[in-house]
């Protein structure tokens, strides 16, 4: 029975073997920006403890995820020290899943604003090391659109995170589209991050090799992304950019078949959307490597998405930062790819060169 350490060592070894065939030239210096790094604030932990009693598994300060909770609430010196130790120059922070999306509407709206104020303050204290996405409450789409505007224009945040479904509803529902309209107008991306599957999907997505980040999250979130595409969101908002973590929640692997079946079904009738599903994936999505820093999967993603749409992420603290950096150093990147993967794509997509607090 292989253990975790042997698994990581094996993955690094495989990567180094395939990297050996690539350019041996010394790579140019670049920063390492990690783009899916979680945090929490104590007020959310407290609300989680209350909401968790309704049967939703949520991180609390004294539950089974207590040590993660400790790492998550530190958006100051302790986090910076861990980044120094592991070789991370900058983290893009986002409120840990499922964020405010499990709370009542008014509470969710208020907590999102509080979270964003705290995130902005942390970024102002460490402008070279931390940037952040906004938390928003899709329970109130108009308020979410306004909060995204405030977070970007007043607080200097870089976009928003939405943790997949909200009360079992997906963003293809037109009532949520004011959020997309706001993101497109502001020129900032929305990170579509997983949470536990919606009720209609949950029962089938359980079991030792299935539940959680093993498979369920990717199926749920990949499905969500395809629903957004199929609803015509990008025909309406053609400049909108979404971000998927976890190497695209399996979508890059699946794209030719999705197109093929789409054409089979709509090739001779009036199609519901203007372009092929893969066109939207390649032009309206960016993908990060959170929790999936493996050589074959990265190579294929770069081949499908292009190097300019593939970004590095750890998934701190749910993935070990030190292990991920060992994996990342062994990835089979070709000449010139590393600076884009680790730094430049993140700077461009999240506009990290803009002041943290414009006011
Ligand atoms: Mn994550």
């Amino acid at each position: 029975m292989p253990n975790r350490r042997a698994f990581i060592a094996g993955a690094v070894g495989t990567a180094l073997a395939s990297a050996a065939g690539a350019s041996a030239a010394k790579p140019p210096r670049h920063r390492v920006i990690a783009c899916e790094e979680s945090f929490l604030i104590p007020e959310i932990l407290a609300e989680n403890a209350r909401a968790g009693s309704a049967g939703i598994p949520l991180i609390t300060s004294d539950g089974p995820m207590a040590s993660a909770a400790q790492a998550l609430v530190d958006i100051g010196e302790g986090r910076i020290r861990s980044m120094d130790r592991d070789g991370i120059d900058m983290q893009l922070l986002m409120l840990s899943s499922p964020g405010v999306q499990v709370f009542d509407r008014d509470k969710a709206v208020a907590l999102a604003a509080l979270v964003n104020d705290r995130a902005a303050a942390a970024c102002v204290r460490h402008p070279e090391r931390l940037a952040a996405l906004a938390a928003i409450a899709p329970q109130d789409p108009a308020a979410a659109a306004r909060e995204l505007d405030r977070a970007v224009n007043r607080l200097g945040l870089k976009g928003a995170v939405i943790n997949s479904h909200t009360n079992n509803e997906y963003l293809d529902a037109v009532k949520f589209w004011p959020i997309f309209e706001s993101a497109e107008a502001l020129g900032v991306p929305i990170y579509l991050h997983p949470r536990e599957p919606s009720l209609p999907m949950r029962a089938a997505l359980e079991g030792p090799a299935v539940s959680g980040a093993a498979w369920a999250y990717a199926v749920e979130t990949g499905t969500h992304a395809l629903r957004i595409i199929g609803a015509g969101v990008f025909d309406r908002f053609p400049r909108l950019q979404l971000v998927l973590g976890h190497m695209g929640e399996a979508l890059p692997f699946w794209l030719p078949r999705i197109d093929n079946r789409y054409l089979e079904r709509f090739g001779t009738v009036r199609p519901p959307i203007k372009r092929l599903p893969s066109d939207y994936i390649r032009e309206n999505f960016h993908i990060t490597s959170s929790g999936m820093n493996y050589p074959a999967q990265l190579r294929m993603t770069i081949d499908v998405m292009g190097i300019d749409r593939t970004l590095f992420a750890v998934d701190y603290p749910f993935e070990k930062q030190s292990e991920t950096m060992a994996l990342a150093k062994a990835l089979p990147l070709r000449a010139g790819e590393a600076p884009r993967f680790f730094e430049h794509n993140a700077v461009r997509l999240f506009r990290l060169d803009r002041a943290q607090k414009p006011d």
Side-chain angles (χ1 to χ4, degrees):
M1 185 76 183
N3 64 24
R4 235 186 96 74
R5 185 167 302 185
F7 167 77
I8 296 291
V12 170
T14 308
L16 286 173
S18 51
S23 167
K26 203 171 183 308
R29 247 199 62 76
H30 57 79
R31 286 188 294 164
V32 174
I33 302 176
C35 294
E36 191 198 299
E37 316 311 316
S38 293
F39 77 100
L40 282 172
I41 64 171
E43 290 85 348
I44 298 275
L45 281 175
E47 282 304 325
N48 280 353
R50 279 189 276 275
S53 57
I56 316 164
L58 296 170
I59 296 175
T60 58
S61 54
D62 57 358
M65 301 282 280
S67 74
Q70 229 171 21
L72 285 162
V73 294
D74 183 343
I75 43 176
E77 301 310 322
R79 182 174 294 245
I80 301 292
R81 269 198 306 279
S82 86
M83 292 163 61
D84 289 342
R85 187 190 61 220
D86 296 330
I88 306 280
D89 292 281
M90 187 178 226
Q91 281 191 351
L92 180 70
L93 302 174
M94 57 187 72
L95 183 65
S96 188
S97 179
V100 301
Q101 287 164 248
V102 290
F103 306 133
D104 293 344
R105 190 192 63 185
D106 292 350
K107 184 171 283 175
V109 169
L111 280 171
L114 178 65
V115 163
N116 295 336
D117 290 344
R118 296 278 175 78
C123 295
V124 165
R125 279 195 295 276
H126 300 282
E128 306 293 321
R129 311 303 302 278
L130 302 176
L133 297 181
I136 53 176
Q139 295 95 318
D140 186 337
R146 279 196 303 276
E147 178 60 15
L148 178 55
D149 189 293
R150 184 188 79 97
V152 171
N153 283 328
R154 310 287 305 235
L155 302 179
L157 303 192
K158 308 302 182 186
V161 59
I162 297 181
N163 295 293
S164 201
H165 70 90
T166 304
N167 295 323
N168 307 301
E169 289 186 297
Y170 291 97
L171 297 166
D172 54 316
V174 175
K175 69 175 180 182
F176 294 118
W177 291 18
I179 299 170
F180 294 138
E181 186 179 10
S182 173
E184 189 194 45
L186 291 163
V188 297
I190 292 176
Y191 206 116
L192 192 63
H193 185 279
R195 60 173 291 193
E196 83 284 358
S198 64
L199 277 177
M201 295 182 72
R202 203 169 298 169
L205 288 173
E206 277 170 3
V210 180
S211 61
W215 179 243
Y217 291 174
V219 170
E220 212 269 346
T221 310
T223 302
H224 193 166
L226 292 173
R227 289 179 68 104
I228 290 170
I229 289 171
V233 166
F234 300 107
D235 292 336
R236 177 90 169 270
F237 308 109
R239 288 177 296 114
L240 175 65
Q241 295 293 319
L242 299 191
V243 187
L244 291 171
H246 316 104
M247 220 58 110
E249 314 293 3
L251 292 182
F253 187 82
W254 212 250
L255 280 193
R257 186 159 170 82
I258 293 169
D259 279 354
N260 185 29
R261 291 295 102 180
Y262 180 86
L263 285 169
E264 179 83 10
R265 187 165 164 199
F266 299 110
T268 57
V269 300
R270 187 184 152 82
I273 52 178
K274 288 184 182 162
R275 312 172 67 197
L276 286 175
S278 70
D279 292 329
Y280 302 102
I281 293 279
R282 288 198 182 87
E283 292 176 32
N284 295 98
F285 284 81
H286 288 71
I287 281 175
T288 82
S289 65
S290 54
M292 283 284 285
N293 284 282
Y294 304 117
Q297 287 73 13
L298 176 73
R299 192 72 253 159
M300 192 211 62
T301 301
I302 291 174
D303 289 346
V304 170
M305 297 297 294
I307 181 61
D308 291 328
R309 287 181 176 271
T310 310
L311 289 72
F312 174 68
V314 174
D315 208 350
Y316 178 89
F318 305 106
E319 297 289 333
K320 288 197 177 68
Q321 214 166 229
S322 55
E323 283 181 0
T324 300
M325 286 308 289
L327 288 166
K329 281 180 187 140
L331 287 170
L333 291 161
R334 294 175 187 150
E337 288 183 335
R340 294 197 262 179
F341 173 68
F342 284 108
E343 177 184 6
H344 299 162
N345 295 343
V347 171
R348 187 183 62 249
L349 175 64
F350 298 107
R351 298 164 81 170
L352 299 178
D353 47 357
R354 287 207 299 194
Q356 293 279 13
K357 193 160 184 178
D359 274 355

